[in-house]
């Protein structure tokens, strides 16, 4: 005679809650890691400005399936970029924070006529303040140059 399950299963419930929490943390980490891949290059990888964008955009996977139109790289240690979300920036709205300090930046913009696999970019180097979106005190989206 098989016994039918009775009552709540606290161990199963606890396991499901912990699994959901772990998955949520992993997805947040992936978003921060994506931000680092797309927007942080410190120290600035080699090459002159003419070839810098072509190389880094390809290495970072930003040229497929289409040539990304524009992308900005921040040339600062990750701790300085994180600090924008942790008090070294002025936050407003739901999750946007403006840096108090200026950062060395390279903005790569695609040249018209480029196509996937043969994306050609122009570089613009600046020293400016930036705005990022923050989640759990980490930058997850580069919003714009201020």
């Amino acid at each position: 005679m098989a016994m039918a399950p009775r009552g709540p299963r606290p161990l199963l419930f606890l396991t499901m809650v912990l699994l959901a929490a772990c998955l949520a943390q992993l997805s947040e980490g992936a978003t921060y890691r994506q931000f680092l891949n797309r927007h942080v290059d410190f120290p600035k990888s080699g090459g002159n400005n003419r070839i810098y964008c072509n190389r880094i955009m390809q290495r970072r996977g930003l040229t497929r399936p289409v040539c990304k139109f524009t992308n900005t790289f921040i040339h600062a240690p990750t701790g300085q970029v994180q600090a924008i979300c942790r008090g070294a920036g002025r936050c407003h709205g739901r999750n946007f924070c403006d840096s108090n300090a200026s950062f060395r930046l390279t903005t790569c913009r695609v040249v018209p006529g480029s196509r996937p696999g043969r994306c050609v970019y122009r570089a613009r180097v600046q020293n400016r303040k930036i705005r990022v979106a923050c989640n759990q005190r980490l930058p997850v989206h580069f919003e714009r140059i201020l």
Side-chain angles (χ1 to χ4, degrees), residues 5-16:
R6 291 187 182 168
R9 303 243 173 166
L11 189 55
L12 178 62
F13 178 73
L14 180 61
T15 303
M16 296 303 284

Side-chain angles (χ1 to χ4, degrees), residues 35-42 60 72-74 76-78 81:
F35 173 86
L36 292 178
N37 180 64
R38 290 178 186 153
H39 299 293
V40 177
D41 183 35
F42 181 80
R60 300 289 179 97
T72 300
F73 291 97
I74 306 163
T78 56
V81 180

Side-chain angles (χ1 to χ4, degrees), residues 21-32:
C22 288
L23 289 174
Q25 271 196 324
L26 285 174
S27 69
E28 293 305 324
T31 302
Y32 172 63

